[in-house]
Amino acid sequence: MFDWELLLRTAIILGITFAIVYFVRRFFRGLNKRTQKQSLYNKFFQSILTAGITIVGVYSALGSFEIAKEISTTVLQSSALLIAVATFAAQQTLGNVISGFSLSSSKPCDIGQKIQIKSAGTVIAEGIVRDMTVRHVVIEQADGQMCIIPNSVVDGAVIVNMSNPDTVATFVEVEVDYATDIEKARTIIMEILKTEPLVVEAEKTAVLVSELTANGMLLRFAVYTKDIMESYRACSNVRQRIVSEFEKAEIVIPYNTVTIDTTPTTNPAINPATDPQN
């Protein structure tokens, strides 16, 4: 005969579990509204609480069934071996959880900030931090794609925080010819930054020669804006104005060209016009 009391008890346990999860999410949502910002620590702690409550609730609900009790007894009798196997199998997941605690407590970055993640000198991802869970960090890149990176990778990488609490910094690079008057180019760029409406704190910017290339010198500078959306528009405007102002000032932006010589050859052995076989 079907045990309705058992089914009701299981349904109540699951209902209480999901209700607690719901109120936990509402609590953190209200906390974010009160502080008017989303915190990386809050995001991670919410994810940990949700996962823990769900696991405990589901285990408690299944524990009401006899078959589950038998499985639990068997598991406990061989717990040492199972713990060793489970730890080995889930070591990557556990590593992500531990790295998540490290990131949320040290706070090298926060939700809404622009960061660059580097590993062995290679940029893995660059964009705005949108979320953090038990397993991964979500970064929105400039093209709108979401880059999902495991916590252990982020924790072991170099994090370049390109934001401060009030502004977002985006680096812009422009190449100029070796014959360029660098001071003149610097003056033009600084004037563009000071007169661009979306740019803030232009006086903080320094235009530096970051690299010597095969074609010329690479100038690098930061564009500061209030948020990331203004940063995209501001950088676009700055680049467009640089091309226009450099052209007026006769500053050359080098680029690769291909020259094709169409002059007929004078060697009769390979000149189709004089080849006797033609």
Side-chain angles (χ1 to χ4, degrees):
M1 183 176 178
F2 194 79
D3 192 343
W4 290 102
E5 183 180 350
L6 178 61
L7 180 61
L8 180 60
R9 185 166 59 249
T10 303
I12 291 174
I13 293 174
L14 291 177
I16 292 174
T17 300
F18 293 125
I20 294 174
V21 170
Y22 171 76
F23 283 113
V24 165
R25 289 177 176 173
R26 284 203 61 178
F27 170 78
F28 280 101
R29 195 179 302 122
L31 183 62
N32 292 333
K33 287 183 179 179
R34 285 194 296 271
T35 57
Q36 295 185 345
K37 66 175 294 185
Q38 293 187 356
S39 169
L40 197 70
Y41 177 81
N42 290 345
K43 279 282 188 180
F44 179 74
F45 195 53
Q46 176 187 344
S47 182
I48 285 287
L49 275 179
T50 302
I53 292 168
T54 303
I55 291 172
V56 171
V58 171
Y59 180 80
S60 300
L62 293 178
S64 303
F65 295 92
E66 289 298 327
I67 186 171
K69 291 180 181 179
E70 293 176 4
I71 294 174
S72 297
T73 303
T74 305
V75 168
L76 290 174
Q77 289 174 350
S78 55
S79 58
L81 177 60
L82 286 174
I83 289 173
V85 173
T87 302
F88 178 78
Q91 58 183 336
Q92 188 172 4
T93 301
L94 291 173
N96 287 325
V97 174
I98 295 171
S99 295
F101 276 111
S102 175
L103 290 171
S104 62
S105 59
S106 61
K107 282 191 176 181
C109 58
D110 214 336
I111 302 296
Q113 290 187 337
K114 183 177 182 181
I115 66 170
Q116 187 181 78
I117 299 177
K118 291 183 177 181
S119 180
T122 303
V123 177
I124 300 175
E126 179 179 333
I128 306 300
V129 181
R130 292 303 184 195
D131 196 6
M132 181 180 183
T133 68
V134 176
R135 180 188 174 275
H136 58 257
V137 175
V138 180
I139 296 176
E140 181 181 2
Q141 301 187 113
D143 56 4
Q145 294 184 339
M146 296 296 179
C147 188
I148 300 173
I149 308 174
N151 291 335
S152 57
V153 175
V154 179
D155 193 30
V158 176
I159 301 176
V160 181
N161 194 326
M162 306 168 74
S163 302
N164 61 44
D166 301 317
T167 60
V168 173
T170 302
F171 288 97
V172 174
E173 295 178 333
V174 58
E175 195 172 22
V176 296
D177 188 81
Y178 277 115
T180 300
D181 183 341
I182 296 297
E183 292 305 320
K184 185 178 180 181
R186 281 197 179 105
T187 301
I188 292 173
I189 292 173
M190 289 303 301
E191 184 62 28
I192 291 173
L193 293 176
K194 290 177 181 177
T195 56
E196 171 56 42
L198 296 177
V199 174
V200 298
E201 301 179 354
E203 66 279 357
K204 291 173 56 176
T205 300
V207 182
L208 304 175
V209 178
S210 64
E211 188 178 347
L212 300 178
T213 68
N215 299 317
M217 296 171 285
L218 195 63
L219 303 182
R220 191 170 190 259
F221 56 92
V223 176
Y224 294 94
T225 55
K226 291 181 179 179
D227 55 52
I228 189 61
M229 296 310 299
E230 287 192 358
S231 176
Y232 295 146
R233 293 195 296 269
C235 290
S236 174
N237 295 342
V238 167
R239 292 186 184 99
Q240 185 175 342
R241 291 181 61 186
I242 284 175
V243 172
S244 176
E245 295 300 324
F246 274 16
E247 184 178 1
K248 294 177 183 177
E250 298 182 349
I251 295 177
V252 177
I253 300 177
Y255 56 91
N256 293 328
T257 59
V258 177
T259 302
I260 301 176
D261 187 0
T262 58
T263 305
T265 180
T266 57
N267 188 346
I270 58 174
N271 189 347
T274 58
D275 192 339
Q277 293 182 0
N278 293 336

